[in-house]
Amino acid sequence: MTTPTIELKPSSRPLSDTERDAILASPGFGRHFTDHMVTVKWTEGRGWHDGQLVPYGPLSLDPATNVLHYAQEIFEGLKAYRQPDGTVATFRPDMNAKRFQHSAWRLGMPELPVETFIEACDALVQQDKDWVPAHGGEESLYLRPFMIATEVGLGVKPANEYLFVVIASPAGAYFPGGVKPVSIWLSEDRVRAVPGGVGDAKTGGNYAASLLAQAEAAAKGCDQVAYLDAVEHKWVEELGGMNLYFVYGNKIVTPTLTGSLLAGVTRDSLLQVARDLGYEAEETRVSIDQWQADTESGALTEVFACGTAAVITPVGTVKRATGEWKQSGGEAGEVTMRLRNALLDVQRGTAEDRHGWMHKLG
Ligand SMILES: *Cc1c(COP(=O)(O)O)cnc(C)c1O
C-alpha cells in the first residue's frame, strides 16, 4: 500500500495577523485552533488515501457513526517549538507515530505508517507556522493527531472505515505565574486501567473512565488523581494523563511499564536526560506505602509528574484516605526543576540535541 502525500487545499480566509497575534498573546491550552487541519482516510480494501490539508472546521458525522457508540478512537499529543534561528521543530514525532500504531493495534484499528503520521504533522505545522509562538519562553504549538472509526452502523466489530485528523492549538506556558506544585489524591478504590486492558493505548476511553475520580479529587481539594494497580491496589501507576517520577537524592525512579501504564515520551526522555546530567535513573515498582514511608524517613526527596503538556509538574501535597503529607515541603524540588529546564532547553533549541530528538522544519 502506498503512503499518501498530503494535497494542499489551504483556506482562502485565514485569520489576519492582528487576530492571530491577539490569540497568541494569551493562548491558554486547547482553547484556540489554527487555520487548518489535515485529514487522511482509510477504507478496507483501499488502505490509506485522500490525504488533504484543508481549512479547520467541523466534521460531519452520521448519528450512527461507529465511534459515537463504541469509542473506537485513539489520539496523540506532541509539540512544535520555535527555535532560536526562527525555524520550527517538533519533539520526537517518531515516538508519537510509533505509539499511535501501538494504540491502533490495541483498538483493532489500521496502523498509520510512521512516515504518513510525520508528514501530516509537518504539513500542518508548515502551513500554520505563524501560529508557533515566538522563541524564548515555554510556549509552543500543540499538535493533536487522532483517529476515529467512521463506519456507519451499530454492529459491534472493528470498523471498515476510519478518519485520521491532525489539528493544532497554540499553548501558553503551563504555569504562567511560575511553576506551581500540584496536589494529588491517591485513589485506592477507583482504577484507571487493568492488566490486559487498554491502559497502554492512548484512547479517549481511558480518560472517560478517569473523570469521576478526577471530580472526586477536586471535591477533596486536589488537582490530580494518582492511580494504583488494579489487582493489589498497592503499586503506583500514574496520573490520569501524566507519568510519575520519584527522586531519591541522586537517583530518579519511575514505575515500570507493566502494560496498564501509558509509555510517555516525556517519561522516556527524562530517563535519558537524567543520565546525561549524572543522575541514576531506573524503572521499578513503587508501592503506595513505600511512597509514604520514604517521604517520612526523608529518603524520598521529591516527586514529580511528566507529560507533553506541562513537561514536568512538581507534586507538592499527597492525600490518601488515611492521611496526607507534603513532598519537599510543598515546594518545587531542585532536581525536578533542573530536569525540567534541561528538557525544555533541548525542546526550545538552547541546549545541544545530543540524541537527535528535534525534528526540524523550515
Ligand atoms: C499522554 C499520556 C501521558 C504522557 O505521555 P507523553 O508522551 O509524555 O505526553 C501519560 N499518561 C497518560 C494516561 C497519557 O494519556
Side-chain angles (χ1 to χ4, degrees):
M1 245 164 265
T2 53
T3 302
T5 38
I6 310 295
E7 188 188 344
L8 303 182
K9 298 178 170 176
S11 169
S12 53
R13 289 184 298 117
L15 282 196
S16 69
D17 291 353
T18 319
E19 288 167 310
R20 190 181 57 243
D21 288 347
I23 291 171
L24 290 179
S26 174
F29 182 80
R31 289 195 287 117
H32 301 279
F33 297 91
T34 65
D35 296 305
H36 298 90
M37 62 185 187
V38 170
T39 59
V40 185
K41 291 180 182 158
W42 186 92
T43 354
E44 202 165 75
R46 191 165 168 203
W48 296 102
H49 63 276
D50 212 7
Q52 300 191 345
L53 176 138
V54 292
Y56 182 93
L59 304 174
S60 169
L61 297 175
D62 187 288
T65 300
N66 223 274
V67 65
L68 301 176
H69 303 272
Y70 307 126
Q72 210 187 1
E73 185 268 359
I74 57 171
F75 68 97
E76 271 303 327
L78 68 160
K79 283 176 168 177
Y81 287 88
R82 183 73 65 180
Q83 303 297 293
D85 65 359
T87 60
V88 172
T90 49
F91 183 69
R92 306 188 76 183
D94 54 317
M95 290 282 283
N96 296 91
K98 286 177 205 146
R99 186 169 68 192
F100 198 65
Q101 289 189 324
H102 176 76
S103 300
W105 167 78
R106 183 62 186 81
L107 274 282
M109 302 167 93
E111 293 176 30
L112 183 73
V114 167
E115 317 83 73
T116 309
F117 181 99
I118 295 176
E119 187 194 351
C121 292
D122 286 0
L124 184 58
V125 174
Q126 198 71 259
Q127 180 71 40
D128 286 339
K129 64 173 174 288
D130 291 345
W131 285 88
V132 184
H135 176 259
E138 297 180 10
E139 294 85 356
S140 62
L141 184 66
Y142 181 80
L143 304 180
R144 169 51 64 87
F146 65 99
M147 180 173 22
I148 56 172
T150 47
E151 182 178 351
V152 174
L154 301 181
V156 181
K157 62 173 183 64
N160 61 16
E161 270 182 40
Y162 296 88
L163 182 67
F164 169 69
V165 186
V166 190
I167 56 175
S169 173
Y174 197 82
F175 301 103
V179 173
K180 197 174 147 288
V182 294
S183 52
I184 299 283
W185 168 251
L186 239 161
S187 170
E188 292 173 77
D189 48 358
R190 305 208 187 283
V191 297
R192 189 193 82 91
V194 300
V198 294
D200 66 348
K202 211 165 171 75
T203 178
N206 286 331
Y207 282 72
S210 74
L211 297 177
L212 176 60
Q214 176 66 38
E216 290 170 344
K220 292 184 167 73
C222 291
D223 304 310
Q224 295 273 339
V225 185
Y227 293 96
L228 303 178
D229 78 284
V231 177
E232 296 179 75
H233 296 271
K234 172 177 175 183
W235 306 103
V236 180
E237 297 215 313
E238 61 169 317
L239 306 188
M242 280 189 270
N243 295 111
L244 277 169
Y245 265 98
F246 300 86
V247 181
Y248 286 86
N250 267 333
K251 181 162 99 181
I252 67 165
V253 306
T254 191
T256 311
L257 299 175
T258 54
S260 47
L261 277 77
L262 201 280
V265 176
T266 318
R267 174 191 178 281
D268 181 80
S269 306
L270 286 169
L271 284 170
Q272 186 62 55
V273 168
R275 287 173 189 142
D276 292 348
L277 291 176
Y279 296 103
E280 266 182 80
E282 74 180 38
E283 304 173 71
T284 181
R285 293 181 93 189
V286 178
S287 76
I288 172 57
D289 291 332
Q290 190 191 343
W291 179 353
Q292 184 166 4
D294 289 350
T295 303
E296 281 161 8
S297 79
L300 173 55
T301 43
E302 304 169 27
V303 178
F304 63 84
C306 65
T308 296
V311 187
I312 282 185
T313 306
V315 172
T317 311
V318 184
K319 291 189 192 178
R320 63 189 289 195
T322 51
E324 109 173 48
W325 63 89
K326 289 223 181 301
Q327 227 55 75
S328 42
E331 304 295 323
E334 194 185 313
V335 177
T336 299
M337 291 310 289
R338 192 162 170 228
L339 289 168
R340 188 172 197 276
N341 289 327
L343 182 54
L344 262 166
D345 285 346
V346 174
Q347 294 172 329
R348 57 192 167 201
T350 51
E352 189 197 347
D353 177 17
R354 291 168 67 171
H355 306 286
W357 285 343
M358 300 311 291
H359 174 70
K360 290 192 184 348
L361 290 123

